[in-house]
Amino acid sequence: MSKEQFVLQLTQQLSGRWTIPILLSLESSGGRFTPLQRQLDIAPARLSDNLKQLSDAELLHHLTPLERRHPLLPEYKLTEKGKLYREAAQAIRSSEARIGHGTLSAKAWNMPVLVALNYQHGRFQEIRRVLQPVTPRILSARLDELYGEALIVREIADPSRPSFVYELSSLSARPIETLTADLSSLV
C-alpha cells in the first residue's frame, strides 16, 4: 500500500462524528464507559455502537472482567493501532483548528476529499476512484459543501463539455498539506 493510499484510508476511517472524539477522550476518561459518555455528552446506545465499531476495527480492546479495575464496569483500552490512529486524530484536529471551520471530520468524507485534492486528484471521477466506496451523490454533496465554505475552488475545465476541476483554496491548502505530511509520517 502506497503512502497516498494509506493516508486516504486513514482519513476515511477517522471520518464521522464520534470517532475522533472517542479516540482523543478515551484515556482521559480512564477507558470507562460512563465517564466517557458524560465527557462526550453522547447517548449510551450511540457510544456503545461506536465503541463496538472501533473494537471491530482493532483500534480498541474491550477488557475482560478479569482485566478491568472493576469487573462490572465496561472498560476499553487503545491498541497499538489505536494509538497510531489517535496521533492521526490529533493531526486532523490540529489542521481543523488552523482552517477555522469547525470539526470538518465530523461529516463523513470531508477530510478524505480534501486530502484527495491535496494529492492532485481534481476531477470528480478521479476523486471517486481514489475514495472507492464513496457514492457519487455523497461526493457531489461534500464537494458542494466544501465549495460553499470556500475550502475548495471549482473551475470549469472544458467549456464545450462542462466539467469541473477542483483544487484546495488558499484557506485550506497549507493546513491540508501539513496534515497530509503528518499522516504520511505515521506510515
Side-chain angles (χ1 to χ4, degrees):
M1 178 183 300
S2 72
K3 281 190 177 189
E4 178 181 334
Q5 291 170 325
F6 173 79
V7 170
L8 289 168
Q9 182 180 10
L10 187 61
T11 56
Q12 286 175 27
Q13 291 175 335
L14 290 174
S15 287
R17 180 162 182 205
W18 295 109
T19 306
I20 290 177
I22 289 171
L23 288 173
L24 295 178
S25 302
L26 190 71
E27 287 187 350
S28 66
S29 68
R32 295 220 172 138
F33 186 91
T34 303
L36 183 61
Q37 182 214 347
R38 289 185 184 136
Q39 186 175 351
L40 296 176
D41 194 27
I42 181 176
R46 184 165 307 257
L47 178 58
S48 182
D49 289 345
N50 279 276
L51 289 170
K52 173 116 176 61
Q53 289 173 357
L54 293 172
S55 291
D56 292 345
E58 299 178 354
L59 300 179
L60 299 180
H61 173 63
H62 185 204
L63 300 177
T64 65
L66 296 175
E67 296 173 312
R68 300 178 196 157
R69 288 174 278 181
H70 189 287
L72 299 178
L73 301 175
E75 199 169 326
Y76 297 84
K77 185 175 145 186
L78 287 172
T79 62
E80 288 304 313
K81 183 179 176 182
K83 290 175 184 174
L84 175 80
Y85 276 57
R86 183 186 58 203
E87 287 181 43
Q90 289 168 337
I92 289 172
R93 276 290 159 91
S94 174
S95 71
E96 289 173 336
R98 284 193 296 273
I99 292 172
H101 277 259
T103 54
L104 294 169
S105 60
K107 277 195 169 179
W109 300 107
N110 273 349
M111 294 309 279
V113 166
L114 291 171
V115 170
L117 291 174
N118 186 62
Y119 281 118
Q120 307 304 314
H121 299 288
R123 293 184 176 272
F124 185 89
Q125 291 301 331
E126 289 175 23
I127 299 168
R128 186 170 168 224
R129 189 174 50 253
V130 296
L131 302 179
Q132 198 55 51
V134 70
T135 63
R137 182 177 177 184
I138 195 72
L139 179 57
S140 179
R142 290 300 175 259
L143 287 168
D144 286 343
E145 289 170 11
L146 294 169
Y147 176 73
E149 292 186 32
L151 297 176
I152 63 174
V153 177
R154 176 170 59 191
E155 297 175 3
I156 295 179
D158 183 12
S160 63
R161 198 179 109 203
S163 66
F164 293 111
V165 174
Y166 299 93
E167 56 187 50
L168 296 172
S169 70
S170 59
L171 177 68
S172 63
R174 176 72 86 216
I176 297 299
E177 219 172 271
T178 304
L179 170 66
T180 304
D182 290 346
L183 296 179
S184 294
S185 71
L186 295 176
V187 174

